[in-house]
Amino acid sequence: MRKNFVEELRWRGMLAQIMPGTEELLQKEMVTAYLGTDPTADSLHIGHLCGIMMLRHLQRCGHKPIILVGGATGMIGDPSGKSQERNLLNDETLRHNQECIKAQVAKFLDFESKEPNAAEMVNNYDWMKDFTFLDFAREVGKHITVNYMMAKDSVQQRLNGTARDGLSFTEFTYQLLQGYDFLYLYQHKGVKLQLGGNDQWGNMTTGTELIRRTLGNDVETFALTCPLITKSDGKKFGKTESGNVWLDPKRTSPYRFYQFWLNVSDEEAEKYIKIFTSLDKETIDALIEEHRQDPGRRTLQRRLGEEVTVMVHGREAYDMAIEASNILFGKATKEALERLDEQTFLDVFDGVPHFDIAADQLGQPAIELFTTAAPVFPSKGEMRKMVQGGGVSLNKEKLADAQRPITSDDLIDGKYLLAQKGKKNYFLLTVK
């Protein structure tokens, strides 16, 4: 008896809409299902994670996941939930983005398995690139009426003025293109189920309708969506002041990635730990109970951050993220600072007062450097007093003598000095 995929999604809060008969099909046989993703960047961000986790649960329940990279549709743009058309990409960029996305998704899905439910990645550009407009009009366009397409919410919203620019013909045909993907995958890969975010429901049901009208009423295909994840304030999930939270460590450092999860509210943590981890129900229920006993310890946020960071970046990167977190709030050493890569170091001290000093200012006593070259202290008298009281650190080591020269040997990464007044006041000096 295979594990019930729909039930798994249901208790996790990952089920929005489902076509009748879907659950029965999934219980009856191994189902091949696909989910489309957009290759407009060479990295996914955490807004994509709910869909990827759906595929992960699908594979773990014994079914076969296919991830479709929308190379062709990515060249056009999908009106669902968007207020503007998107930029079009060239072939080389699309291929590069596809490879990067596959490497990220491989951390969630097993592409290498010899089992029949090994994951696959496909690109709709491969079957759309030689499809002429005349062929498309004859083979696809004739099956779906304009009335049917007009009735979709995504089209109505654009036509009724929620977007400045109206709806182009290109975007209007998007649901037919996505519908054709489903038809093609049904015919060539035996795909019977499409998964996606709830904003895709209209496009997905167009696909099932196109298959029925093209191949006959006895051909059954299905659609299932997850809710669109929002933050507790109703805003879009995954966006921060500095933009998207990316899975690529070069775009969002593992430290910053971990901090995102650590800083979600209690209400969000209860929701997200079900959606973004593979922990079972008993474990999650116990964690929620433990968290409620003492919310101040942030049990849920810590475990959520650990699970997702390890899944995306690996255990070593998670350990470094923890070590980096402890630098600000715990006891750390100069060695710990030096172990951080430059981006993580800068992320940790993002927002602390920052001064630039010239390289020829090195060699001066600390008291000159931290009062004249960079105003860490308002006066030499105050600095002397704090040094004598043991309240000043340089690179996490106590500064015992205000007259000690600061040299290039003190620099972290060859260019940074970290001064600290008391426990919490940090100052970052960059040698230019």
Side-chain angles (χ1 to χ4, degrees):
M1 187 69 181
R2 67 170 42 88
K3 197 171 170 190
N4 187 325
F5 171 61
V6 174
E7 192 45 53
E8 185 74 12
L9 295 187
R10 198 174 273 129
W11 78 258
R12 289 181 182 276
M14 293 172 75
L15 187 63
Q17 296 187 77
I18 179 170
M19 283 178 67
T22 307
E23 192 165 1
E24 291 76 5
L25 175 79
L26 286 154
Q27 287 302 93
K28 190 174 74 188
E29 61 187 72
M30 185 191 90
V31 175
T32 303
Y34 90 95
L35 176 132
T37 192
D38 165 26
T40 46
D42 62 1
S43 173
L44 299 174
H45 53 74
I46 58 175
H48 296 107
L49 270 187
C50 185
I52 303 299
M53 290 304 291
M54 283 172 90
L55 290 178
R56 181 177 171 90
H57 293 308
L58 180 90
Q59 190 173 38
R60 289 180 155 210
C61 290
H63 303 288
K64 181 178 177 70
I66 291 183
I67 183 156
L68 179 145
V69 174
T73 35
M75 289 178 158
I76 291 170
D78 172 9
S80 306
K82 308 286 191 311
S83 56
Q84 292 176 318
E85 289 207 29
R86 60 171 60 136
N87 296 331
L88 311 185
L89 303 173
N90 64 34
D91 191 23
E92 190 187 341
T93 306
L94 283 168
R95 293 290 170 198
H96 165 74
N97 292 358
Q98 178 184 338
E99 287 312 305
C100 295
I101 289 168
K102 182 170 182 181
Q104 291 180 340
V105 176
K107 294 171 180 174
F108 296 82
L109 303 177
D110 183 359
F111 287 91
E112 306 301 322
S113 169
K114 298 288 181 275
E115 297 297 318
N117 71 328
E120 281 185 54
M121 177 175 266
V122 295
N123 188 335
N124 61 10
Y125 184 66
D126 294 335
W127 58 84
M128 293 305 298
K129 66 178 185 291
D130 300 322
F131 204 176
T132 69
F133 182 74
L134 290 175
D135 288 339
F136 187 79
R138 191 178 64 225
E139 292 179 34
V140 181
K142 72 174 185 187
H143 290 295
I144 301 288
T145 66
V146 168
N147 309 44
Y148 179 87
M149 294 168 72
M150 292 284 286
K152 299 292 181 183
D153 283 348
S154 58
V155 173
Q156 285 297 318
Q157 283 165 7
R158 289 291 290 263
L159 288 175
N160 293 335
T162 50
R164 291 195 304 273
D165 309 325
L167 181 69
S168 70
F169 171 75
T170 308
E171 285 193 298
F172 182 55
T173 55
Y174 188 94
Q175 58 176 294
L176 291 184
L177 290 167
Q178 188 170 330
Y180 181 72
D181 286 341
F182 201 171
L183 172 62
Y184 182 92
L185 289 172
Y186 175 82
Q187 291 175 310
H188 294 84
K189 299 276 185 187
V191 171
K192 291 185 182 177
L193 172 63
Q194 185 180 173
L195 307 174
N198 208 29
D199 59 340
Q200 294 293 314
W201 181 254
N203 293 343
M204 291 160 73
T205 50
T206 299
T208 61
E209 187 65 10
L210 178 65
I211 291 168
R212 190 180 66 77
R213 293 186 186 185
T214 306
L215 302 177
N217 288 337
D218 55 340
V219 175
E220 286 196 297
T221 50
F222 302 88
L224 182 160
T225 60
C226 62
L228 295 179
I229 313 298
T230 53
K231 296 196 284 197
S232 51
D233 59 7
K235 288 188 182 152
K236 198 166 179 187
F237 168 75
K239 291 262 191 203
T240 64
E241 265 81 64
S242 51
N244 283 320
V245 180
W246 298 92
L247 305 196
D248 182 344
K250 293 193 287 294
R251 287 172 175 247
T252 300
S253 69
Y255 164 76
R256 191 159 278 199
F257 185 85
Y258 173 71
Q259 287 294 317
F260 171 83
W261 301 102
L262 195 61
N263 289 317
V264 301
S265 70
D266 290 352
E267 181 191 343
E268 289 164 340
E270 284 195 19
K271 187 165 82 168
Y272 296 167
I273 200 159
K274 294 173 185 168
I275 295 170
F276 298 111
T277 77
S278 297
L279 297 173
D280 61 36
K281 191 171 189 307
E282 291 71 27
T283 306
I284 288 175
D285 288 345
L287 283 166
I288 289 173
E289 186 51 42
E290 185 186 340
H291 182 91
R292 286 176 179 173
Q293 300 294 329
D294 184 3
R297 289 180 56 211
R298 299 184 80 71
T299 304
L300 272 182
Q301 286 91 336
R302 288 175 194 279
R303 185 61 182 274
L304 171 66
E306 177 183 358
E307 292 290 326
V308 187
T309 307
V310 169
M311 197 157 44
V312 173
H313 295 297
R315 176 67 58 182
E316 199 176 322
Y318 164 74
D319 290 340
M320 180 178 269
I322 292 294
E323 186 164 32
S325 305
N326 290 339
I327 284 169
L328 270 184
F329 307 110
K331 289 183 176 167
T333 60
K334 185 181 181 188
E335 287 70 41
L337 285 181
E338 288 171 334
R339 275 199 295 275
L340 301 181
D341 61 84
E342 185 176 8
Q343 187 54 57
T344 304
F345 178 82
L346 291 173
D347 282 348
V348 170
F349 297 104
D350 181 34
V352 309
H354 195 150
F355 305 110
D356 292 336
I357 60 171
D360 60 12
Q361 292 180 297
L362 291 173
Q364 296 184 69
I367 197 159
E368 294 293 336
L369 200 69
F370 294 145
T371 55
T372 311
V376 173
F377 291 90
S379 70
K380 291 179 181 177
E382 185 182 319
M383 179 169 168
R384 267 193 213 96
K385 202 163 151 188
M386 271 200 92
V387 169
Q388 283 162 3
V392 180
S393 296
L394 172 66
N395 300 334
K396 284 288 178 180
E397 293 176 343
K398 281 270 183 283
L399 187 66
D401 180 6
Q403 293 297 327
R404 153 164 134 53
I406 307 297
T407 69
S408 57
D409 292 342
D410 293 307
L411 298 178
I412 306 274
D413 263 340
K415 56 178 156 180
Y416 302 110
L417 294 167
L418 183 69
Q420 191 177 350
K421 284 162 57 172
K423 279 188 175 173
K424 293 184 179 168
N425 296 315
Y426 289 95
F427 301 85
L428 188 60
L429 284 66
T430 304
V431 178
K432 297 284 190 186

